[in-house]
Every structure is written in structure tokens, then in C-alpha cells.
């Protein structure tokens, strides 16, 4: 059995806390079949462990679904309701990685995503932005990641038809999740 060595410039092994001030969890969904609505979550936390062998690294994260922010309070209240996230019963979205694979110069991060009480496997396309010192004597690491889910598979099934448009719906089933993550090395 042969293995491929993974070389990441400046790589630092350790345990990292996600810096929510310098990170973002956002999403994009098609609306009325003609445009895209973007939103983000203002509260989230996570930890990642960069192992000596980068492919043995791991991630856990939690997103406070009540912190959804699309820039329109009435829409945000609807997204928090039982029609979508049902935050009274399912206040968080959780992610726990199950593996990491090389994909050219980038990686594929496999894991279990739990939303509205349903857990499904997902794969994030992961790009390592870098590792380096910060202005406070610490060490930072940065990553970008994206995945696409079908919200219906997670029980987020509310939708409204568009009158006069056969098969037209208000909100697409596909949702793109985007992550910009900056982590702080823990001592």
C-alpha cells in the first residue's frame, strides 16, 4: 500500500479554536427561480485539530440557527420558524468531520451535518489559505470551504409555488454553504 505525502507550506499541527470575529458561515439559495438570496449566521463555534499527518485532521462545529441574518428581519423570522429551521426544537446545526482527502492542491473534508434533527454525510471542498503568526504573539490558520446540500433531505421542506409558473417554487431545494474560517492555535 502506498500513501501520498501531503505538503502544506507553513503547516502547524495543533488544536485550534475558530475565531468568530474573523470567520464567516454563510449560505446562498435561489429565490423565485430568478435570483439568489445570501445570508449568514452571526453566532457559531468550532474546533479543528491539525494532525501531524494532515489527512488525519478533524473538525467539529456548531452554528446557532437563531442567529440567521439575511439582512431582512421578516425573512429571518420566517427562516427561524417551524417552516424552515424550527429553532425552538432544533436550535443548532452541527458538523463533525469523518475524514479528509487530498484533491489536487486542495482537500475534500467529509463529515456528518445535522440540521433539524437529521444527520446526513456531506463533503466540503476545502482550500488551505495558510498558517502564520498573528499580531498578538499567537498563531493563526485560515481555510475556505464550500458544499451544497438539498435542504429537503434535512426536513427543511417548506416551499410555495409561483402562480402561473408550472413547477416554479419560491425557494430552491439546493443550498450552498460557504465557510471562511480563521483559527487561533490553543496552547
Amino acid at each position: 500500500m502506498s500513501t501520498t505525502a501531503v505538503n502544506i507550506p507553513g503547516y502547524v499541527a495543533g488544536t485550534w479554536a475558530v475565531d468568530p470575529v474573523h470567520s464567516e458561515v454563510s449560505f446562498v439559495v435561489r429565490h423565485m427561480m430568478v435570483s439568489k438570496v445570501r445570508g449568514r449566521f452571526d453566532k457559531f463555534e468550532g474546533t479543528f485539530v491539525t494532525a501531524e499527518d494532515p489527512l488525519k485532521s478533524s473538525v467539529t462545529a456548531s452554528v446557532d440557527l437563531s442567529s440567521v441574518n439575511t439582512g431582512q428581519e421578516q425573512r429571518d423570522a420566517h427562516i427561524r420558524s417551524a417552516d424552515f429551521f424550527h429553532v425552538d426544537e432544533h436550535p443548532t446545526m452541527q458538523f463533525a468531520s469523518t475524514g479528509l482527502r487530498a484533491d489536487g492542491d486542495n482537500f475534500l473534508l467529509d463529515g456528518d451535518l445535522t440540521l433539524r434533527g437529521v444527520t446526513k454525510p456531506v463533503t466540503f471542498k476545502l482550500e488551505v489559505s495558510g498558517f502564520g503568526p498573528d499580531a498578538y504573539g499567537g498563531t493563526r490558520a485560515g481555510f475556505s470551504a464550500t458544499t451544497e446540500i438539498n435542504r429537503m433531505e434535512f426536513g427543511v421542506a417548506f416551499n410555495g409555488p409561483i402562480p402561473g409558473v408550472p413547477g416554479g417554487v419560491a425557494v430552491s431545494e439546493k443550498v450552498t454553504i460557504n465557510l471562511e474560517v480563521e483559527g487561533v492555535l490553543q496552547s
Side-chain angles (χ1 to χ4, degrees), residues 113 115-116 118 120 122 149-156:
L113 182 70
L115 176 61
R116 204 173 158 139
V118 177
K120 296 278 185 186
V122 299
I149 64 168
N150 182 323
R151 66 185 179 85
M152 305 298 233
E153 293 177 356
F154 291 91
V156 183

Side-chain angles (χ1 to χ4, degrees), residues 3-185:
T3 60
T4 303
V6 175
N7 183 16
I8 302 170
Y11 184 81
V12 176
T15 300
W16 309 75
V18 171
D19 176 356
V21 174
H22 297 100
S23 300
E24 181 177 87
V25 177
S26 62
F27 61 90
V28 180
V29 64
R30 190 162 293 285
H31 182 253
M32 296 294 189
M33 299 176 58
V34 297
S35 66
K36 293 180 180 177
V37 171
R38 298 172 192 286
R40 68 177 191 271
F41 297 96
D42 293 332
K43 296 179 184 174
F44 51 87
E45 60 186 21
T47 301
F48 56 95
V49 176
T50 50
E52 290 296 329
D53 173 355
L55 297 181
K56 300 213 183 288
S57 298
S58 63
V59 178
T60 57
S62 178
V63 175
D64 178 348
L65 294 174
S66 70
S67 74
V68 66
N69 184 343
T70 65
Q72 209 283 327
E73 183 51 42
Q74 184 179 1
R75 177 174 49 218
D76 295 345
H78 190 205
I79 294 170
R80 290 182 198 105
S81 78
D83 283 345
F84 289 96
F85 291 151
H86 202 341
V87 298
D88 290 342
E89 289 191 18
H90 307 286
T92 61
M93 175 171 55
Q94 306 283 331
F95 177 79
S97 65
T98 57
L100 184 65
R101 301 174 278 144
D103 183 39
D105 291 337
N106 296 306
F107 298 90
L108 297 174
L109 177 65
D110 299 314
D112 292 325
L113 182 70
T114 301
L115 176 61
R116 204 173 158 139
V118 177
T119 302
K120 296 278 185 186
V122 299
T123 299
F124 281 91
K125 294 178 182 176
L126 177 71
E127 176 185 341
V128 178
S129 302
F131 293 81
D134 65 20
Y136 313 104
T139 303
R140 301 273 173 152
F143 304 90
S144 297
T146 187
T147 193
E148 186 175 272
I149 64 168
N150 182 323
R151 66 185 179 85
M152 305 298 233
E153 293 177 356
F154 291 91
V156 183
F158 175 83
N159 219 338
I162 301 173
V165 180
V169 292
V171 182
S172 67
E173 293 180 8
K174 293 181 183 178
V175 179
T176 301
I177 301 172
N178 298 304
L179 308 175
E180 292 296 331
V181 176
E182 186 173 304
V184 180
L185 183 63

